[in-house]
Amino acid sequence: MSDERLKLVKESFEKKAVPADIPAMKTSEYFGELVFDRKKMIKYLDSKTLSCFLDSIDRGVVLDRKTADGIALGMKEWALEHHVTHITHWFQPLTEGTAEKHDSLIEYDGKGGVIEKFDGSSLIQQEPDASSFPNGGIRATFEARGYTAWDPTCPVFIMGDTLCIPSVFISYTGEALDYKTPLKKALKALSDAATPICRLFDPDVNKVYSYLGWEQEYFLVDESLYAARPDLMITGRTLMGHASSKNQQLDDHYFAAIPSRVTAFMQDLEVAGSRLGIPIKTRHNEVAPNQFELAPIYGEANLSNDQNQIVMNLMKKIARKHGFVVLFHEKPFDGVNGSGKHNNWSMGTDTGTMLLAPGKDPKGNLQFVTFFVNVLAAVQKHNALLKASIASATNAHRLGANEAPPAIVSAFLGKTMTGVLRKLLELPSDTPIEIAGKKGQSVGLVEIPEIFVDNTDRNRTSPFAFTGNRFEFRAVGSSANCAGVLTALSAAVTESLVAFKKEVDSKMASGAPMNIAIMDTLKPMIASVIDTVCFEGNGYSDEWKEEAVKRGLDTETNVPKMFKAFISPQSVETFVNTGVFSLKELQARNEVKWETYTKKVQIEARVMGRMAINHIIPAALRYKTELLKELSLNKEVFGSLDDCKFELDALKLISARIDEIQSRVRDMKDNRKKANAIEDEYEKALAYHEIAENLASIRKPIDKLEEIVDNSLWPLPKYRELLFIS
Ligand code: ADP
Ligand code: MG
């Protein structure tokens, strides 16, 4: 095995970049060619169908069957030009991935042959088996019906030979079984709550959009080395492995020159993304070795989230062309940074005003402060819920660890905005609000032009940071579906805006001018958030954990317990009142969350146990045998073991570690048996949480053995071999 291992390492080191397929055109010439976007609508739809379709997308007008038939006809014509043979409803079940069931376009033509057929009804709905997807008990196996229904606000796209129709997924009884349905409900609720407030400032506003710009972090590992690591293959992370002598301590990977094999992968990904209308903008090396990031230009939240899911799928496929496997796990390697997916989030009106950016004048600033403070109030009230919405078995390895956001949700505002809020508290309510913009700053060299310095600094330790025109939710995990966190955030902000508007209305009804009614409503909110959820210091420090408790923020670190926040009376009220989730849906989803947590830990525990017993202990025993042989030779030749201190010490250590591993694996198995007997999903997840915490105690002696055992006998690629792409 180990000769094999060294062969794999050498091969991976010597692999040359596979050139990317880059079209001999400008990106703008093929951007969106595989998307049925507005350009295609105009070309392939008749004018009546087109106008009904646009009404549906832009104004939420119900789409009738006749229009759907017309749209399907146009789509079919376009799809056949691209040699499409199949269609699928493409949806996002609660599995942290996407689902697709392909149906061919062929139908009998009644004359002994077949024709390609695609009509409104197959565009609008399909029926996958809902009991085979996580549903939290909403669907039993004997009542299997579930429906996918087309989401006309996200464009249909072509992947290979298949026309993909972005869809929601609901049960026979109408409950959401996916990420998209509640996200859409929450975005609509937010728009409905925000629009009347915007109209106080601009009567032309009819809709408020939410925007998402995600930054996807990921690792690439060579596929041959990956295949030699059962833990990576099965769980997505290394369950064992001694730290490499060099990892990220020299800060030499972040923003460094991108290895050519990786560049080729990124280029292929960008071309595929562009064809699908995904504006991938940024690519760079991240902090940990083999860690990278990409980010698109932000877009409408529902679409941008679809695009994130598409990109993750593309990455998995394209990585293989380049001999890599992409890892989305939040913590594939201990001791180096994990991966997140920053969610840059903002709101804007259909008239083009960004609501989380300072305005051009005091009135614009008042509108900005209104939304800014309402967001903070929502984050304060629902900090436990927001944390629950980013919690998972995998993200648990990142939250609270020292390089990632802490397991406490607070907001970072920066000096400028903290100053603005504090000043507003002191000044009379009708004082015009001034906010300093970017400042010019000289670099101190005549040949370098003046640069503009932002009015907010950054705080990498904050999970929810204001960055000048948006909030950046940094605690989201790299494998997550962004819809989870956006749904919770949007519902929380909706609730805050509704209460705010009610109070402003009542003040105005009593004769207060608008600006005073708004400011008088905002002031107690500002006073409340500024010293609770707003925190400018080091989020990684122990003092913050103590301070956060005093401020009444949630500091729970146990993931199954965190999930409880979804069904607290406060969250249920928010979700039900905003129409985002029913109580039944919330309960079902929590069952799924606990079950998923349990299963993930269960799989890790099994893999850990088997690798410890089948891979690690046999390797250690082999080395032990060699040492024993060596000792007996010594005895034979020299008549004593006087010069065998190393061998004797090593033997003792190896035997002790083997004992330790064996007894801990046995304990872990016993604990699993006990946990498996628990019926209640929550209690079971709690029991598995204990098991998860104890996996490290098995890992420790294994990693120690890695330090002692003859390198040529070690059965697994080591960190130093996995982590450095040439
Ligand atoms: P970093 O925070 O690492 O500097 P970037 O500057 O690359 O990251 O941008 C992060 C993401 O934020 C990008 O996807 C970008 O399009 C997005 N973004 C920028 N402005 C907004 C906004 N107003 N709303 C939502 N996302 C935005
Ligand atoms: Mg960022």
Side-chain angles (χ1 to χ4, degrees):
M1 173 65 202
S2 59
D3 281 349
E4 251 169 70
R5 184 184 115 225
L6 295 176
K7 204 172 125 220
L8 289 179
V9 173
K10 200 160 168 278
E11 271 172 20
S12 101
F13 189 77
E14 287 168 355
K15 271 185 199 161
K16 297 274 173 289
V18 180
D21 287 324
I22 303 175
M25 288 184 258
K26 285 188 282 191
T27 307
S28 54
E29 286 168 344
Y30 60 88
F31 186 83
E33 69 178 8
L34 297 178
V35 177
F36 197 76
D37 53 17
R38 288 186 190 232
K39 254 204 278 184
K40 317 292 188 317
M41 289 178 202
I42 293 167
K43 181 164 172 206
Y44 291 91
L45 303 182
D46 63 70
S47 60
K48 174 100 199 314
T49 307
L50 175 67
S51 88
C52 292
F53 192 14
L54 292 178
D55 275 352
S56 159
I57 297 172
D58 296 333
R59 300 198 290 118
V61 175
V62 180
L63 219 153
D64 59 52
R65 282 284 160 149
K66 202 166 150 263
T67 308
D69 279 334
I71 298 169
L73 198 69
M75 277 180 184
K76 189 177 93 176
E77 189 188 342
W78 170 69
L80 290 177
E81 285 172 14
H82 285 275
H83 313 292
V84 161
T85 54
H86 288 68
I87 62 150
T88 184
H89 272 204
W90 179 83
F91 60 103
Q92 300 167 33
L94 300 173
T95 51
E96 312 269 295
T98 58
E100 48 195 87
K101 174 190 146 224
H102 298 194
D103 283 327
S104 144
L105 290 171
I106 54 167
E107 292 284 350
Y108 282 124
D109 64 359
K111 299 176 214 148
V114 292
I115 49 159
E116 279 75 19
K117 187 168 171 247
F118 178 54
D119 59 16
S121 61
S122 31
L123 169 63
I124 287 178
Q125 73 178 67
Q126 263 188 343
E127 192 200 324
D129 182 337
S131 64
S132 302
F133 288 103
N135 62 60
I138 283 178
R139 304 310 291 158
T141 21
F142 58 90
E143 39 184 27
R145 275 183 201 277
Y147 297 98
T148 51
W150 174 40
D151 172 11
T153 60
C154 287
V156 159
F157 57 92
I158 295 172
M159 276 277 201
D161 61 4
T162 304
L163 186 70
C164 301
I165 303 165
S167 301
V168 297
F169 180 38
I170 55 165
S171 76
Y172 184 68
T173 38
E175 287 86 11
L177 297 176
D178 67 344
Y179 282 102
K180 199 188 238 295
T181 309
L183 175 64
K184 283 182 69 74
K185 287 182 180 172
L187 296 176
K188 167 88 167 56
L190 184 55
S191 173
D192 289 350
T195 301
I197 297 173
C198 295
R199 282 208 185 126
L200 295 173
F201 296 89
D202 175 2
D204 290 339
V205 173
N206 283 313
K207 195 168 174 177
V208 167
Y209 290 100
S210 297
Y211 296 107
L212 168 67
W214 43 267
E215 298 164 55
Q216 179 74 54
E217 292 179 342
Y218 60 97
F219 280 83
L220 289 175
V221 286
D222 185 87
E223 65 184 357
S224 318
L225 295 168
Y226 169 89
R229 293 281 318 212
D231 47 357
L232 264 184
M233 282 188 79
I234 308 287
T235 72
R237 77 172 175 115
T238 53
L239 297 171
M240 52 194 69
H242 195 283
S244 163
S245 310
K246 171 181 183 287
N247 46 51
Q248 64 188 42
Q249 62 271 57
L250 295 176
D251 292 328
D252 54 354
H253 193 257
Y254 190 54
F255 282 12
I258 303 172
S260 43
R261 270 179 80 194
V262 178
T263 305
F265 156 76
M266 290 172 166
Q267 288 168 333
D268 270 333
L269 176 64
E270 286 158 359
V271 170
S274 289
R275 290 208 153 102
L276 288 162
I278 303 170
I280 299 175
K281 177 91 175 161
T282 304
R283 60 183 189 208
H284 62 81
N285 279 17
E286 255 302 327
V287 171
N290 280 21
Q291 193 188 26
F292 307 92
E293 177 183 305
L294 84 148
I297 300 172
Y298 70 93
E300 189 279 318
N302 177 29
L303 174 62
S304 178
N305 186 46
D306 274 10
Q307 293 182 337
N308 179 239
Q309 292 295 316
I310 296 171
V311 163
M312 288 171 81
N313 288 340
L314 287 176
M315 287 169 81
K316 285 185 214 161
K317 285 186 196 160
I318 293 169
R320 298 305 298 276
K321 170 182 162 187
H322 297 276
F324 293 127
V325 172
V326 61
L327 305 178
F328 290 122
H329 194 292
E330 282 78 0
K331 195 77 181 174
F333 302 99
D334 256 22
V336 297
N337 278 13
S339 298
K341 175 150 52 197
H342 300 174
N343 276 213
N344 293 271
W345 171 81
S346 65
M347 296 174 276
T349 65
D350 57 351
T351 52
T353 304
M354 293 305 275
L355 295 168
L356 291 176
K360 291 192 195 75
D361 51 24
K363 189 175 164 204
N365 284 338
L366 181 63
Q367 176 167 253
F368 157 60
V369 169
T370 296
F371 282 94
F372 187 72
V373 171
N374 271 287
V375 170
L376 295 175
V379 175
Q380 178 185 359
K381 180 171 174 191
H382 290 288
N383 69 90
L385 172 66
L386 291 173
K387 191 169 70 183
S389 74
I390 48 106
S392 68
T394 51
N395 206 18
H397 296 281
R398 182 172 162 261
L399 295 179
N402 234 8
E403 94 288 340
I408 302 166
V409 171
S410 65
F412 171 83
L413 311 187
K415 258 200 211 111
T416 306
M417 282 315 297
T418 306
V420 167
L421 293 193
R422 289 204 187 279
K423 214 159 141 199
L424 288 178
L425 283 181
E426 290 160 16
L427 297 172
S429 291
D430 58 354
T431 316
I433 305 174
E434 304 287 347
I435 298 173
K438 289 190 182 197
K439 286 196 303 263
Q441 184 168 305
S442 157
V443 178
L445 291 165
V446 279
E447 68 274 31
I448 296 184
E450 184 180 65
I451 59 166
F452 286 95
V453 184
D454 285 279
N455 58 11
T456 56
D457 195 1
R458 294 181 178 236
N459 181 333
R460 290 285 175 197
T461 71
S462 178
F464 193 77
F466 180 63
T467 51
N469 62 355
R470 62 192 188 268
F471 280 97
E472 182 173 348
F473 206 151
R474 308 184 60 245
V476 185
S478 46
S479 70
N481 185 309
C482 307
V485 69
L486 289 178
T487 301
L489 181 62
S490 309
V493 175
T494 300
E495 181 193 50
S496 182
L497 291 174
V498 168
F500 169 83
K501 177 73 171 38
K502 208 167 142 200
E503 196 163 333
V504 169
D505 283 349
S506 107
K507 287 192 163 73
M508 285 173 70
S510 324
M514 178 188 101
N515 58 341
I516 296 188
I518 289 180
M519 201 33 88
D520 282 351
T521 310
L522 286 177
K523 276 184 173 175
M525 295 167 76
I526 296 173
S528 170
V529 295
I530 197 103
D531 291 318
T532 51
V533 78
C534 300
F535 176 65
E536 303 290 298
N538 178 3
Y540 298 162
S541 68
D542 287 331
E543 298 87 73
W544 171 230
K545 285 181 202 148
E546 286 165 30
E547 168 76 17
V549 175
K550 284 189 210 139
R551 294 182 179 200
L553 297 175
D554 184 276
T555 55
E556 184 60 68
T557 55
N558 174 317
V559 168
K561 284 189 188 165
M562 284 183 202
F563 291 152
K564 280 252 162 181
F566 275 105
I567 48 170
S568 70
Q570 175 178 293
S571 302
V572 172
E573 193 189 349
T574 307
F575 282 127
V576 172
N577 286 349
T578 51
V580 173
F581 286 122
S582 68
L583 177 61
K584 187 175 172 193
E585 285 173 321
L586 286 169
Q587 286 168 336
R589 275 166 188 261
N590 259 26
E591 292 290 301
V592 173
K593 282 181 184 292
W594 285 318
E595 211 182 316
T596 307
Y597 179 89
T598 294
K599 285 181 180 161
K600 288 221 164 152
V601 178
Q602 192 176 49
I603 292 167
E604 285 195 351
R606 284 184 184 144
V607 174
M608 176 65 115
R610 287 172 198 168
M611 286 177 73
I613 305 296
N614 301 335
H615 289 69
I616 304 303
I617 292 186
L621 289 178
R622 238 171 277 146
Y623 185 47
K624 190 173 161 182
T625 310
E626 282 192 5
L627 290 171
L628 285 169
K629 274 193 205 148
E630 144 95 10
L631 285 172
S632 89
L633 274 177
N634 259 284
K635 186 91 192 209
E636 224 179 283
V637 177
F638 303 111
S640 88
L641 297 179
D642 289 351
D643 291 330
C644 299
K645 189 165 164 12
F646 174 84
E647 292 90 322
L648 290 167
D649 286 351
L651 272 176
K652 236 185 260 161
L653 272 177
I654 291 170
S655 300
R657 304 281 181 239
I658 290 176
D659 280 355
E660 207 179 331
I661 294 169
Q662 196 198 10
S663 78
R664 287 186 180 160
V665 169
R666 201 183 303 125
D667 289 350
M668 187 255 290
K669 276 191 178 161
D670 288 346
N671 290 337
R672 251 161 53 206
K673 264 193 208 127
K674 279 185 218 143
N676 292 344
I678 302 173
E679 288 278 324
D680 182 82
E681 290 295 350
Y682 173 58
E683 297 295 334
K684 196 186 213 167
L686 285 182
Y688 266 97
H689 175 72
E690 293 298 310
I691 293 170
E693 297 280 286
N694 283 327
L695 286 185
S697 74
I698 303 174
R699 174 178 187 146
K700 230 189 205 157
I702 293 178
D703 290 356
K704 292 234 166 89
L705 276 179
E706 191 185 315
E707 273 194 305
I708 310 170
V709 170
D710 179 353
N711 181 50
S712 71
L713 295 175
W714 198 251
L716 303 169
K718 297 184 171 185
Y719 269 28
R720 63 163 192 254
E721 296 154 354
L722 285 165
L723 274 175
F724 298 92
I725 292 171
S726 58

